[in-house]
Coordinates of all heavy atoms in Angstrom, one line a residue:
M1 N -2.5 25.1 21.1 CA -1.7 24.7 20.0 C -0.3 24.7 20.3 O 0.5 23.8 19.8 CB -2.0 25.6 18.8 CG -1.4 25.0 17.5 SD -2.1 23.4 17.0 CE -3.5 23.8 16.0
V2 N 0.1 25.6 21.2 CA 1.5 25.6 21.6 C 1.9 24.4 22.5 O 3.0 23.8 22.3 CB 1.8 26.9 22.4 CG1 3.2 26.9 23.0 CG2 1.6 28.1 21.5
A3 N 0.9 23.9 23.2 CA 1.2 22.7 24.1 C 1.4 21.5 23.2 O 2.2 20.6 23.5 CB 0.0 22.5 25.0
V4 N 0.6 21.4 22.1 CA 0.8 20.3 21.2 C 2.1 20.3 20.5 O 2.8 19.3 20.3 CB -0.4 20.3 20.1 CG1 -0.1 19.2 19.0 CG2 -1.7 20.1 20.8
A5 N 2.5 21.5 20.1 CA 3.8 21.7 19.4 C 5.0 21.3 20.4 O 5.9 20.7 20.0 CB 4.0 23.1 18.9
N6 N 4.9 21.7 21.6 CA 5.9 21.4 22.6 C 5.9 19.9 22.9 O 7.0 19.3 23.0 CB 5.7 22.2 23.9 CG 6.1 23.6 23.8 OD1 6.9 23.9 23.0 ND2 5.5 24.4 24.7
A7 N 4.8 19.3 22.9 CA 4.7 17.8 23.1 C 5.3 17.1 21.9 O 6.1 16.1 22.1 CB 3.3 17.4 23.3
L8 N 5.1 17.6 20.7 CA 5.7 17.0 19.5 C 7.2 17.1 19.5 O 7.9 16.3 19.1 CB 5.1 17.5 18.3 CG 3.7 17.0 17.9 CD1 3.2 17.7 16.7 CD2 3.7 15.5 17.7
R9 N 7.7 18.3 20.0 CA 9.1 18.6 20.1 C 9.8 17.6 21.0 O 10.8 17.0 20.8 CB 9.4 20.0 20.5 CG 9.3 21.0 19.4 CD 9.9 22.3 19.8 NE 9.4 23.3 18.8 CZ 8.4 24.1 19.0 NH1 7.7 24.1 20.1 NH2 8.0 25.0 18.0
L10 N 9.1 17.4 22.2 CA 9.7 16.5 23.2 C 9.7 15.1 22.7 O 10.6 14.3 22.9 CB 8.9 16.6 24.5 CG 9.2 17.9 25.3 CD1 8.2 18.0 26.5 CD2 10.6 17.9 25.8
L11 N 8.6 14.7 22.1 CA 8.5 13.3 21.6 C 9.5 13.1 20.4 O 10.1 12.0 20.4 CB 7.1 13.0 21.0 CG 6.8 11.6 20.5 CD1 7.0 10.6 21.7 CD2 5.4 11.5 20.0
G12 N 9.7 14.1 19.6 CA 10.6 13.9 18.5 C 12.1 13.9 19.0 O 12.9 13.1 18.6
A13 N 12.4 14.7 20.0 CA 13.7 14.6 20.7 C 13.9 13.3 21.3 O 15.0 12.7 21.3 CB 13.9 15.7 21.6
A14 N 12.9 12.7 22.0 CA 13.0 11.4 22.7 C 13.2 10.3 21.7 O 14.1 9.4 21.9 CB 11.8 11.2 23.5
L15 N 12.5 10.3 20.6 CA 12.6 9.3 19.6 C 14.0 9.4 18.9 O 14.6 8.4 18.6 CB 11.5 9.4 18.5 CG 10.2 8.7 18.8 CD1 9.2 9.0 17.7 CD2 10.4 7.2 18.9
G16 N 14.5 10.6 18.6 CA 15.8 10.7 18.1 C 16.9 10.3 19.0 O 17.9 9.7 18.5
T17 N 16.7 10.5 20.3 CA 17.7 10.1 21.2 C 17.8 8.5 21.3 O 18.9 7.9 21.3 CB 17.5 10.7 22.6 OG1 17.4 12.1 22.5 CG2 18.5 10.2 23.6
I18 N 16.6 7.9 21.4 CA 16.5 6.5 21.4 C 17.1 5.8 20.2 O 17.9 4.9 20.2 CB 15.1 6.0 21.7 CG1 14.7 6.4 23.1 CG2 14.9 4.5 21.5 CD1 13.2 6.2 23.4
G19 N 16.7 6.4 19.0 CA 17.2 5.9 17.7 C 18.7 6.1 17.6 O 19.4 5.2 17.1
G20 N 19.2 7.2 18.1 CA 20.7 7.4 18.1 C 21.4 6.4 18.9 O 22.5 5.9 18.6
A21 N 20.9 6.1 20.1 CA 21.5 5.1 20.9 C 21.5 3.7 20.3 O 22.5 3.0 20.4 CB 20.8 5.0 22.3
L22 N 20.4 3.4 19.6 CA 20.3 2.1 18.9 C 21.3 2.0 17.8 O 21.9 0.9 17.6 CB 18.9 1.8 18.4 CG 17.8 1.5 19.5 CD1 16.5 1.4 18.9 CD2 18.2 0.3 20.3
V23 N 21.4 3.0 17.0 CA 22.4 3.1 15.9 C 23.8 3.0 16.5 O 24.7 2.3 15.9 CB 22.2 4.3 15.0 CG1 23.4 4.5 14.0 CG2 20.9 4.2 14.3
F24 N 24.1 3.7 17.6 CA 25.4 3.6 18.3 C 25.7 2.2 18.7 O 26.9 1.7 18.5 CB 25.4 4.5 19.5 CG 26.7 4.6 20.2 CD1 27.8 5.3 19.7 CD2 26.8 3.9 21.4 CE1 29.0 5.3 20.4 CE2 28.0 3.9 22.1 CZ 29.1 4.6 21.6
I25 N 24.8 1.5 19.2 CA 25.0 0.1 19.6 C 25.3 -0.8 18.4 O 26.1 -1.7 18.4 CB 23.8 -0.5 20.4 CG1 23.7 0.2 21.8 CG2 23.9 -2.0 20.6 CD1 22.4 0.0 22.5
E26 N 24.6 -0.5 17.3 CA 24.8 -1.2 16.0 C 26.2 -1.1 15.5 O 26.7 -2.1 14.9 CB 23.8 -0.6 15.0 CG 24.0 -1.2 13.6 CD 23.4 -2.6 13.4 OE1 22.6 -3.0 14.2 OE2 23.8 -3.3 12.5
F27 N 26.9 0.0 15.7 CA 28.2 0.2 15.2 C 29.2 -0.8 15.9 O 30.3 -1.1 15.4 CB 28.7 1.6 15.5 CG 28.1 2.6 14.5 CD1 27.8 3.9 15.0 CD2 27.8 2.3 13.2 CE1 27.3 4.8 14.1 CE2 27.3 3.2 12.3 CZ 27.0 4.5 12.8
F28 N 28.9 -1.3 17.1 CA 29.8 -2.2 17.8 C 29.5 -3.7 17.6 O 30.1 -4.5 18.3 CB 29.8 -1.8 19.3 CG 30.4 -0.5 19.5 CD1 29.6 0.6 19.8 CD2 31.8 -0.3 19.5 CE1 30.1 1.8 20.1 CE2 32.3 0.9 19.7 CZ 31.5 2.0 20.0
Q29 N 28.7 -4.0 16.7 CA 28.4 -5.4 16.4 C 29.1 -5.9 15.2 O 29.3 -5.1 14.2 CB 26.9 -5.6 16.2 CG 26.0 -5.3 17.4 CD 24.6 -5.6 17.2 OE1 24.2 -6.1 16.1 NE2 23.8 -5.2 18.1
Y30 N 29.6 -7.1 15.2 CA 30.3 -7.7 14.0 C 29.2 -8.1 13.0 O 28.2 -8.6 13.3 CB 31.1 -8.9 14.4 CG 32.3 -8.6 15.2 CD1 32.4 -9.2 16.5 CD2 33.3 -7.9 14.8 CE1 33.5 -8.9 17.3 CE2 34.4 -7.6 15.5 CZ 34.5 -8.2 16.8 OH 35.6 -7.9 17.5
P31 N 29.5 -7.8 11.7 CA 28.7 -8.4 10.6 C 28.7 -9.9 10.7 O 29.7 -10.5 11.2 CB 29.3 -7.8 9.4 CG 30.1 -6.7 9.8 CD 30.5 -7.0 11.2
S32 N 27.8 -10.6 10.1 CA 27.7 -12.0 10.1 C 28.8 -12.7 9.3 O 29.2 -13.9 9.5 CB 26.4 -12.6 9.7 OG 26.2 -12.3 8.3
Y33 N 29.5 -11.9 8.4 CA 30.5 -12.5 7.6 C 31.9 -12.3 8.2 O 32.9 -12.8 7.7 CB 30.5 -12.0 6.2 CG 30.6 -10.5 6.1 CD1 31.8 -9.8 6.1 CD2 29.4 -9.7 6.0 CE1 31.9 -8.4 6.0 CE2 29.5 -8.3 5.9 CZ 30.7 -7.7 5.9 OH 30.8 -6.4 5.8
V34 N 32.0 -11.7 9.4 CA 33.3 -11.6 10.1 C 33.3 -12.5 11.2 O 32.4 -12.6 12.1 CB 33.5 -10.1 10.6 CG1 34.7 -10.0 11.4 CG2 33.5 -9.1 9.4
E35 N 34.4 -13.3 11.3 CA 34.6 -14.3 12.3 C 35.9 -14.0 13.0 O 37.0 -13.9 12.3 CB 34.6 -15.7 11.7 CG 34.7 -16.8 12.7 CD 34.7 -18.2 12.0 OE1 34.2 -18.3 10.9 OE2 35.3 -19.1 12.6
Y36 N 35.9 -14.0 14.3 CA 37.1 -13.7 15.1 C 37.6 -15.0 15.7 O 36.8 -15.7 16.4 CB 36.9 -12.7 16.2 CG 38.1 -12.4 17.0 CD1 39.2 -11.8 16.5 CD2 38.1 -12.7 18.4 CE1 40.3 -11.5 17.3 CE2 39.2 -12.5 19.1 CZ 40.3 -11.9 18.6 OH 41.4 -11.6 19.4
K37 N 38.9 -15.4 15.6 CA 39.4 -16.5 16.2 C 40.4 -16.1 17.3 O 41.5 -15.6 17.0 CB 40.2 -17.4 15.1 CG 39.3 -17.9 14.1 CD 40.0 -18.8 13.1 CE 39.1 -19.4 12.1 NZ 39.7 -20.3 11.2
P38 N 40.0 -16.2 18.6 CA 40.8 -15.7 19.6 C 42.1 -16.5 19.8 O 43.1 -15.9 20.3 CB 39.9 -15.9 20.9 CG 38.9 -16.8 20.5 CD 38.7 -16.8 19.0
D39 N 42.2 -17.8 19.4 CA 43.4 -18.5 19.6 C 44.6 -18.0 18.8 O 45.7 -18.1 19.2 CB 43.2 -20.0 19.4 CG 42.6 -20.3 18.0 OD1 42.0 -19.4 17.4 OD2 42.6 -21.5 17.6
V40 N 44.3 -17.5 17.6 CA 45.3 -16.9 16.8 C 45.2 -15.4 16.7 O 46.0 -14.8 16.0 CB 45.3 -17.5 15.4 CG1 45.7 -19.0 15.4 CG2 44.0 -17.4 14.7
Q41 N 44.2 -14.8 17.3 CA 44.0 -13.4 17.3 C 43.9 -12.9 15.9 O 44.6 -11.9 15.5 CB 45.0 -12.6 18.2 CG 45.0 -13.0 19.6 CD 46.0 -12.2 20.4 OE1 46.8 -11.5 19.9 NE2 45.9 -12.3 21.7
D42 N 43.0 -13.5 15.2 CA 42.8 -13.1 13.8 C 41.3 -13.0 13.4 O 40.5 -13.7 13.9 CB 43.5 -14.1 12.9 CG 43.6 -13.7 11.4 OD1 43.7 -12.5 11.2 OD2 43.7 -14.6 10.6
Y43 N 41.0 -12.1 12.4 CA 39.7 -12.0 11.9 C 39.7 -12.7 10.5 O 40.6 -12.6 9.8 CB 39.3 -10.5 11.7 CG 39.1 -9.8 13.0 CD1 40.1 -9.1 13.6 CD2 37.9 -9.8 13.6 CE1 39.9 -8.4 14.8 CE2 37.6 -9.1 14.8 CZ 38.7 -8.4 15.4 OH 38.5 -7.8 16.5
R44 N 38.6 -13.4 10.3 CA 38.4 -14.0 9.0 C 37.1 -13.5 8.3 O 36.0 -13.4 9.0 CB 38.2 -15.5 9.2 CG 38.1 -16.3 7.9 CD 38.1 -17.8 8.2 NE 37.7 -18.5 7.1 CZ 36.5 -19.1 7.0 NH1 35.7 -19.2 8.0 NH2 36.2 -19.8 5.8
V45 N 37.2 -13.0 7.1 CA 36.0 -12.5 6.4 C 35.6 -13.5 5.4 O 36.4 -13.9 4.5 CB 36.4 -11.2 5.7 CG1 35.2 -10.7 4.9 CG2 36.8 -10.1 6.7
D46 N 34.4 -14.0 5.5 CA 33.8 -15.0 4.5 C 32.4 -14.5 4.1 O 31.5 -14.6 4.8 CB 33.7 -16.3 5.2 CG 33.2 -17.4 4.3 OD1 33.3 -17.2 3.0 OD2 32.6 -18.4 4.8
D47 N 32.4 -13.9 2.9 CA 31.1 -13.4 2.4 C 30.5 -14.3 1.3 O 29.7 -13.9 0.5 CB 31.2 -12.0 1.9 CG 32.3 -11.8 0.8 OD1 33.0 -12.8 0.6 OD2 32.3 -10.7 0.3
S48 N 30.9 -15.6 1.2 CA 30.5 -16.4 0.2 C 29.2 -17.2 0.5 O 28.5 -17.6 -0.4 CB 31.6 -17.5 -0.2 OG 31.8 -18.3 1.0
H49 N 28.8 -17.3 1.8 CA 27.6 -18.0 2.1 C 26.4 -17.1 1.9 O 26.5 -15.9 2.0 CB 27.7 -18.6 3.5 CG 27.9 -17.6 4.6 ND1 26.8 -16.9 5.1 CD2 29.0 -17.2 5.2 CE1 27.3 -16.0 6.0 NE2 28.6 -16.2 6.1
P50 N 25.2 -17.7 1.6 CA 24.1 -16.9 1.2 C 23.4 -16.1 2.3 O 22.6 -15.2 2.0 CB 23.1 -17.9 0.6 CG 23.5 -19.2 1.2 CD 25.0 -19.1 1.5
G51 N 23.7 -16.4 3.5 CA 23.0 -15.8 4.7 C 23.8 -14.6 5.2 O 23.7 -14.3 6.4
V52 N 24.5 -13.8 4.4 CA 25.3 -12.7 4.9 C 24.4 -11.6 5.2 O 23.5 -11.1 4.5 CB 26.3 -12.3 3.8 CG1 26.9 -10.9 4.2 CG2 27.3 -13.3 3.6
T53 N 24.5 -11.1 6.5 CA 23.8 -9.9 6.9 C 24.8 -8.9 7.5 O 25.7 -9.3 8.2 CB 22.7 -10.2 8.0 OG1 23.4 -10.8 9.1 CG2 21.6 -11.1 7.4
E54 N 24.6 -7.7 7.1 CA 25.5 -6.6 7.5 C 24.9 -5.8 8.7 O 25.6 -5.4 9.6 CB 25.9 -5.7 6.4 CG 27.0 -4.7 6.8 CD 27.5 -4.0 5.6 OE1 27.3 -4.4 4.4 OE2 28.2 -3.0 5.8
H55 N 23.6 -5.6 8.6 CA 22.9 -4.8 9.6 C 21.9 -5.7 10.4 O 21.4 -6.6 9.8 CB 22.2 -3.6 9.0 CG 23.1 -2.8 8.2 ND1 24.1 -2.0 8.7 CD2 23.2 -2.7 6.8 CE1 24.7 -1.4 7.7 NE2 24.3 -1.8 6.6
T56 N 21.7 -5.3 11.6 CA 20.7 -6.0 12.4 C 19.4 -5.2 12.5 O 19.4 -4.0 12.1 CB 21.2 -6.3 13.8 OG1 21.4 -5.1 14.5 CG2 22.5 -7.2 13.8
W57 N 18.4 -5.8 13.1 CA 17.1 -5.0 13.3 C 17.3 -3.9 14.3 O 16.6 -2.9 14.2 CB 16.0 -6.0 13.7 CG 15.5 -6.7 12.6 CD1 15.7 -8.0 12.3 CD2 14.6 -6.2 11.6 NE1 15.0 -8.4 11.1 CE2 14.4 -7.3 10.7 CE3 14.0 -5.0 11.3 CZ2 13.5 -7.1 9.6 CZ3 13.2 -4.9 10.2 CH2 13.0 -5.9 9.4
L58 N 18.3 -4.0 15.1 CA 18.5 -2.9 16.1 C 18.9 -1.6 15.4 O 18.3 -0.5 15.7 CB 19.7 -3.3 17.0 CG 19.8 -2.7 18.3 CD1 18.6 -3.0 19.2 CD2 21.1 -3.2 19.0
G59 N 19.8 -1.7 14.4 CA 20.1 -0.5 13.6 C 19.0 0.0 12.7 O 18.9 1.2 12.6
R60 N 18.3 -0.9 12.2 CA 17.1 -0.5 11.3 C 16.1 0.2 12.1 O 15.5 1.3 11.7 CB 16.6 -1.7 10.6 CG 17.5 -2.3 9.6 CD 16.9 -3.5 9.0 NE 17.9 -4.1 8.0 CZ 18.1 -5.4 7.9 NH1 17.5 -6.2 8.6 NH2 19.0 -5.8 7.0
I61 N 15.8 -0.3 13.3 CA 14.8 0.4 14.1 C 15.3 1.7 14.6 O 14.6 2.7 14.7 CB 14.4 -0.5 15.3 CG1 13.6 -1.7 14.8 CG2 13.6 0.2 16.4 CD1 13.4 -2.8 15.8
G62 N 16.6 1.8 14.9 CA 17.2 3.0 15.3 C 17.1 4.1 14.3 O 16.8 5.3 14.5
G63 N 17.4 3.7 13.0 CA 17.3 4.6 11.9 C 15.9 5.1 11.7 O 15.6 6.3 11.4
L64 N 14.9 4.2 11.9 CA 13.5 4.6 11.8 C 13.1 5.6 12.9 O 12.4 6.5 12.6 CB 12.6 3.4 11.8 CG 11.1 3.6 11.7 CD1 10.8 4.1 10.3 CD2 10.4 2.3 11.9
C65 N 13.6 5.3 14.1 CA 13.3 6.2 15.2 C 13.9 7.6 15.0 O 13.3 8.7 15.3 CB 13.8 5.7 16.5 SG 12.9 4.3 17.2
I66 N 15.1 7.7 14.4 CA 15.7 9.0 14.1 C 14.9 9.7 13.1 O 14.6 10.9 13.2 CB 17.2 8.8 13.7 CG1 18.0 8.3 14.8 CG2 17.7 10.1 13.1 CD1 19.4 7.9 14.5
S67 N 14.5 9.0 12.0 CA 13.7 9.7 11.0 C 12.4 10.1 11.5 O 11.9 11.2 11.1 CB 13.6 8.8 9.7 OG 12.8 7.6 10.1
L68 N 11.7 9.4 12.3 CA 10.4 9.8 12.9 C 10.6 11.0 13.8 O 9.8 11.9 13.9 CB 9.8 8.6 13.6 CG 9.2 7.5 12.8 CD1 8.7 6.4 13.7 CD2 8.1 8.1 11.9
G69 N 11.7 11.0 14.6 CA 12.0 12.1 15.5 C 12.2 13.4 14.7 O 11.6 14.4 15.1
F70 N 12.9 13.3 13.6 CA 13.1 14.5 12.7 C 11.8 15.0 12.1 O 11.5 16.2 12.0 CB 14.1 14.3 11.7 CG 15.5 14.5 12.1 CD1 16.5 13.5 12.0 CD2 15.9 15.7 12.6 CE1 17.8 13.7 12.5 CE2 17.2 16.0 13.0 CZ 18.1 14.9 13.0
A71 N 10.9 14.0 11.7 CA 9.6 14.3 11.1 C 8.8 15.0 12.2 O 8.1 16.0 11.9 CB 9.0 13.1 10.6
L72 N 8.8 14.6 13.4 CA 8.0 15.2 14.5 C 8.5 16.6 14.8 O 7.7 17.5 15.0 CB 8.0 14.3 15.7 CG 7.1 13.1 15.6 CD1 7.3 12.2 16.9 CD2 5.7 13.4 15.4
L73 N 9.8 16.8 14.8 CA 10.4 18.1 15.0 C 10.0 19.0 13.9 O 9.7 20.2 14.1 CB 11.9 18.0 15.2 CG 12.4 17.4 16.4 CD1 13.9 17.2 16.4 CD2 12.0 18.2 17.6
F74 N 9.9 18.5 12.7 CA 9.5 19.3 11.5 C 8.1 19.8 11.6 O 7.8 20.9 11.4 CB 9.8 18.5 10.2 CG 9.5 19.2 9.0 CD1 10.3 20.2 8.5 CD2 8.4 18.9 8.2 CE1 10.1 20.9 7.3 CE2 8.1 19.6 7.0 CZ 9.0 20.6 6.6
V75 N 7.2 18.8 12.0 CA 5.8 19.2 12.1 C 5.6 20.2 13.3 O 4.8 21.1 13.2 CB 5.0 17.9 12.3 CG1 3.5 18.2 12.7 CG2 5.0 17.0 11.1
A76 N 6.3 20.0 14.4 CA 6.2 20.8 15.5 C 6.6 22.3 15.2 O 6.1 23.2 15.7 CB 7.0 20.3 16.7
T77 N 7.6 22.4 14.3 CA 8.0 23.7 13.9 C 6.9 24.5 13.2 O 6.7 25.7 13.5 CB 9.2 23.6 12.9 OG1 10.3 22.9 13.5 CG2 9.7 25.0 12.4
F78 N 6.1 23.8 12.4 CA 5.0 24.5 11.7 C 3.8 24.8 12.7 O 3.0 25.7 12.4 CB 4.5 23.8 10.5 CG 5.5 23.8 9.4 CD1 6.2 22.7 9.0 CD2 5.8 25.0 8.8 CE1 7.1 22.7 8.0 CE2 6.8 25.1 7.8 CZ 7.4 23.9 7.4
L79 N 3.6 23.9 13.7 CA 2.5 24.1 14.6 C 2.8 25.2 15.6 O 1.9 25.8 16.2 CB 2.2 22.8 15.3 CG 1.6 21.7 14.5 CD1 1.4 20.5 15.3 CD2 0.3 22.2 13.9
G80 N 4.1 25.4 16.0 CA 4.4 26.3 17.1 C 5.0 27.5 16.5 O 5.2 28.5 17.0

């Protein structure tokens, strides 16, 4: 049973690390309503069109991996 708990701890830590990296990458992406014009070095914010997205699937999957990692660490605490 200790081996299973250790395996769950390692898997939870790995999922949390991968999820954290995905969320970190998400922070450096522009939302779809922000447009940068390099010729005038200016940002334009236009949130009037219906296809506005603020988050990508990368951040959503990262958040899911972090939550699964914490859940596995929680279960491993009770097993070990």
Side-chain angles (χ1 to χ4, degrees):
M1 192 58 91
V2 174
V4 173
N6 285 337
L8 285 177
R9 277 191 197 98
L10 287 173
L11 183 60
L15 272 175
T17 303
I18 291 170
L22 290 175
V23 170
F24 180 75
I25 292 170
E26 173 76 19
F27 285 145
F28 292 104
Q29 295 184 8
Y30 289 118
S32 66
Y33 56 84
V34 175
E35 182 181 334
Y36 178 68
K37 295 184 179 183
D39 52 343
V40 292
Q41 295 181 352
D42 189 29
Y43 289 93
R44 181 172 169 253
V45 177
D46 180 26
D47 59 351
S48 62
H49 58 82
V52 170
T53 57
E54 187 171 344
H55 305 288
T56 63
W57 281 103
L58 203 64
R60 292 177 180 139
I61 292 171
L64 181 65
C65 286
I66 289 173
S67 64
L68 286 175
F70 276 120
L72 287 176
L73 289 173
F74 183 73
V75 169
T77 300
F78 289 115
L79 290 178

